[in-house]
Amino acid sequence: MLVTLAAFIFVLGVLIFVHELGHFLAAKAVGIAVPRFSIGFGPATPLKFRHGETEYVVAWFPLGGYVKMASKEEQEAMAGVEGGALDRDFPPEQLFESKSLPARVFVISAGVVMNMLFAWLVYAGLAAVYGRAEDPTTTIGRVEAEGLPPAAQPLAAVPRGTQVIRVNGDTMTSWQQIMLAVTDPTSDRVRFDFAGGLDPVILPIRGTDMEARVAVATAIRPAWDPVAGAITPGFPADAAGLEPGDRLLAIDGDTVYGWYDIPPRVEPRAGDTLTLTVQRGPEVFQREVVPEAHTVPRGGEAHTVGQIGFGVPELEIVRVRFGLGGAVVEGATRTWALFTFMALLSVNLAILNLLPIPVLDGGHLVFLAIEGVRGRPLSLQARVRLTQLGMVMLLALMALVFTNDIVRLIGG
């Protein structure tokens, strides 16, 4: 738990730094003075230093950060959360409010843009250096019908062993490509075309309904052989003498066709005795095991399931390599699909900052939009009050999120 929390704080800190760096660089580019660059809100910790006109600090309240730009008008509004008022005056031409409306919009939007660029660069770099590992399986081994949303129920009729040849018209050559196509947020439906003359299946699920798309991706399982890639030491399969490479033929006499047939037959049977029919080379034998109860997280909740330690098979992984141009395209594609944790968190941070709440970038953009329509900014008093209201709204939102997480953890 501590390692996970530390990793989350580190990743969040990197993304906050990248976001605020966008504001910082944009402010410098248009000639706005920046007296403070802070990771976190409130008073500064001892972790701080000054370089040139800017003080770089880590503040005590770690969820967020800010770039304090020189401004006469914003001092009263933000002094409480940004570590106090400025200790020096700046020339009028270096103040935020002295710049043109387009320049101010550019500075406020730069954090969001930097988050998106960062995700793109991370993916492009990984693609250039490591390529992409792909499982060449394109055959469906099992469909978990109970996990399918109502609009995806036609998939439950697809027989095991059916090969997926196209999704939404694109040829599939790996399981990763199938998953990417199913969770593509830009498509308005999901069409599966199969080998063997089987009729296509069309799911009327828009890409914006990501919860349903992820449910579909989770419900279809690849056709992996029921062969142990590893046997977990100390688990029942290990105690029964099973070895890596053993093929599981049946459980309690019921045939096992693929690896994903194993969990549904083992997980509900914690504490029960199961008879496994196993093949090792030319030899076929039986072993009895009693699945152990283990708690695992699923869907944000804790579930107790039976496990025997029969590991997933060793797959024939294909590594796809990219040149510079291909890596850039791959980075853009994966950023757009929001497919891994850091990119997802980075884009979520960008979206959060675009909410029209004063204190956030979206709130500042709303102020600038009002100024563009009215021809003059809102009064300082109005901005102070709206900013204070925005701070209360943001704290209430954070409290609600944390409360829900704590209740879910306690309930699990």
Coordinates of all heavy atoms in Angstrom, one line a residue, residues 12 25 36 42 64 92 106 111 117 127 136 140 158 211-212 243 256 284 295 297 304 321 333 356 378 386:
L12 N 1.8 11.8 -9.8 CA 1.0 13.1 -9.7 C 1.9 14.3 -9.7 O 1.6 15.3 -10.3 CB 0.1 13.0 -8.5 CG -0.9 14.2 -8.4 CD1 -1.9 14.2 -9.6 CD2 -1.7 14.1 -7.1
L25 N 6.5 28.5 -18.9 CA 7.2 28.8 -20.2 C 6.4 29.8 -21.0 O 7.0 30.7 -21.7 CB 7.5 27.5 -20.9 CG 8.4 26.5 -20.3 CD1 8.5 25.3 -21.1 CD2 9.8 27.2 -20.1
R36 N 7.0 33.2 -8.4 CA 7.0 32.0 -7.7 C 6.5 30.8 -8.5 O 5.5 31.0 -9.3 CB 6.1 32.1 -6.4 CG 6.2 30.9 -5.5 CD 5.4 31.1 -4.2 NE 5.9 32.2 -3.4 CZ 5.2 33.2 -3.0 NH1 3.9 33.2 -3.2 NH2 5.8 34.1 -2.3
G42 N -0.4 26.8 -0.4 CA -0.2 27.2 1.0 C 1.3 27.6 1.2 O 2.1 27.8 0.3
G64 N -1.8 19.7 -6.0 CA -1.9 20.8 -7.0 C -0.6 21.6 -7.1 O 0.5 21.1 -6.6
P92 N 5.2 47.8 -15.0 CA 3.8 47.5 -15.5 C 3.8 46.6 -16.7 O 2.9 45.8 -16.9 CB 3.4 48.9 -15.9 CG 4.1 49.8 -15.0 CD 5.5 49.2 -14.8
F106 N -3.4 32.3 -24.1 CA -2.3 31.4 -24.4 C -1.6 31.0 -23.1 O -1.3 29.8 -22.9 CB -1.2 32.2 -25.3 CG 0.1 31.5 -25.4 CD1 0.2 30.2 -26.1 CD2 1.2 32.0 -24.9 CE1 1.4 29.6 -26.2 CE2 2.5 31.4 -25.0 CZ 2.5 30.2 -25.7
G111 N -0.9 25.1 -19.7 CA -0.7 23.9 -18.9 C -1.4 22.7 -19.4 O -0.9 21.6 -19.4
L117 N 0.9 17.2 -24.6 CA 2.2 17.0 -25.3 C 3.1 16.0 -24.5 O 3.8 15.2 -25.1 CB 2.9 18.3 -25.5 CG 2.4 19.3 -26.5 CD1 3.1 20.6 -26.5 CD2 2.4 18.7 -27.9
A127 N 7.7 4.0 -27.7 CA 7.6 3.3 -29.0 C 8.9 3.3 -29.7 O 9.3 2.2 -30.3 CB 6.5 4.0 -29.8
P136 N 0.0 -12.2 -30.6 CA -0.6 -12.4 -31.9 C -1.9 -13.1 -31.9 O -2.5 -13.4 -33.0 CB 0.5 -13.2 -32.6 CG 1.3 -13.9 -31.6 CD 1.2 -13.0 -30.4
I140 N -11.0 -15.8 -30.2 CA -11.8 -15.7 -29.0 C -11.8 -17.0 -28.3 O -12.3 -18.0 -28.9 CB -13.2 -15.1 -29.2 CG1 -13.1 -13.7 -29.8 CG2 -14.0 -15.2 -27.9 CD1 -14.4 -13.1 -30.1
V158 N -21.2 -15.8 -29.9 CA -20.0 -16.1 -30.7 C -19.4 -17.3 -30.2 O -19.0 -17.4 -29.0 CB -19.1 -14.9 -30.7 CG1 -17.8 -15.3 -31.5 CG2 -19.7 -13.7 -31.4
E211 N -17.4 3.2 -20.3 CA -17.7 2.2 -19.3 C -18.2 0.9 -20.0 O -17.7 -0.2 -19.7 CB -18.7 2.6 -18.3 CG -19.0 1.6 -17.2 CD -20.0 2.1 -16.1 OE1 -20.4 3.3 -16.2 OE2 -20.4 1.3 -15.2
A212 N -19.1 1.1 -21.0 CA -19.6 -0.1 -21.7 C -18.6 -0.7 -22.6 O -18.4 -1.9 -22.8 CB -20.9 0.3 -22.5
E243 N 3.7 -28.7 -12.4 CA 4.9 -28.1 -12.9 C 4.6 -27.1 -14.1 O 3.6 -27.3 -14.8 CB 5.9 -29.1 -13.4 CG 6.3 -30.1 -12.3 CD 7.3 -31.1 -12.8 OE1 7.5 -31.1 -14.0 OE2 7.7 -32.0 -12.0
V256 N -11.6 -28.6 -20.0 CA -11.1 -27.2 -20.0 C -10.6 -27.0 -21.4 O -9.6 -27.6 -21.9 CB -9.9 -27.1 -19.0 CG1 -9.3 -25.7 -19.1 CG2 -10.5 -27.2 -17.6
V284 N -1.0 -38.7 -18.7 CA -2.2 -38.1 -18.2 C -2.4 -38.6 -16.8 O -2.5 -39.8 -16.5 CB -3.4 -38.3 -19.1 CG1 -4.7 -37.8 -18.5 CG2 -3.2 -37.8 -20.5
T295 N -8.1 -12.4 -1.2 CA -8.9 -11.2 -1.5 C -8.2 -10.5 -2.6 O -7.0 -10.2 -2.6 CB -9.0 -10.3 -0.3 OG1 -9.6 -11.0 0.8 CG2 -9.7 -9.0 -0.6
P297 N -8.7 -7.1 -5.6 CA -9.5 -5.9 -6.0 C -10.1 -6.1 -7.4 O -9.4 -6.4 -8.3 CB -8.5 -4.8 -6.0 CG -7.2 -5.4 -6.3 CD -7.3 -6.8 -5.8
T304 N -13.4 -11.9 -2.5 CA -12.7 -13.1 -2.0 C -12.9 -14.2 -3.0 O -14.1 -14.6 -3.3 CB -13.2 -13.6 -0.6 OG1 -12.9 -12.5 0.3 CG2 -12.5 -14.8 -0.2
R321 N 8.6 -3.0 -34.0 CA 9.5 -1.9 -33.9 C 9.1 -0.7 -34.7 O 8.4 -0.9 -35.7 CB 10.9 -2.4 -34.3 CG 11.5 -3.5 -33.5 CD 11.9 -2.9 -32.1 NE 12.6 -4.0 -31.3 CZ 13.0 -3.7 -30.1 NH1 12.9 -2.5 -29.6 NH2 13.6 -4.7 -29.4
T333 N -1.3 8.2 -31.4 CA -2.4 7.2 -31.4 C -2.7 6.8 -30.0 O -3.9 6.8 -29.5 CB -2.1 6.0 -32.2 OG1 -1.9 6.4 -33.6 CG2 -3.3 5.0 -32.2
P356 N -15.0 24.9 -15.6 CA -15.2 26.4 -15.4 C -15.4 26.8 -14.0 O -16.4 27.4 -13.6 CB -16.5 26.6 -16.2 CG -17.3 25.3 -16.1 CD -16.2 24.3 -16.1
L378 N -14.2 41.8 -15.5 CA -15.0 41.9 -14.3 C -14.3 42.7 -13.3 O -13.1 42.8 -13.2 CB -15.4 40.5 -13.8 CG -16.3 39.6 -14.6 CD1 -16.3 38.2 -14.0 CD2 -17.7 40.2 -14.7
L386 N -15.8 35.4 -6.7 CA -15.9 34.2 -7.5 C -14.8 33.2 -7.2 O -15.0 32.0 -7.2 CB -16.0 34.5 -9.0 CG -17.4 35.2 -9.4 CD1 -17.3 35.7 -10.8 CD2 -18.5 34.2 -9.2

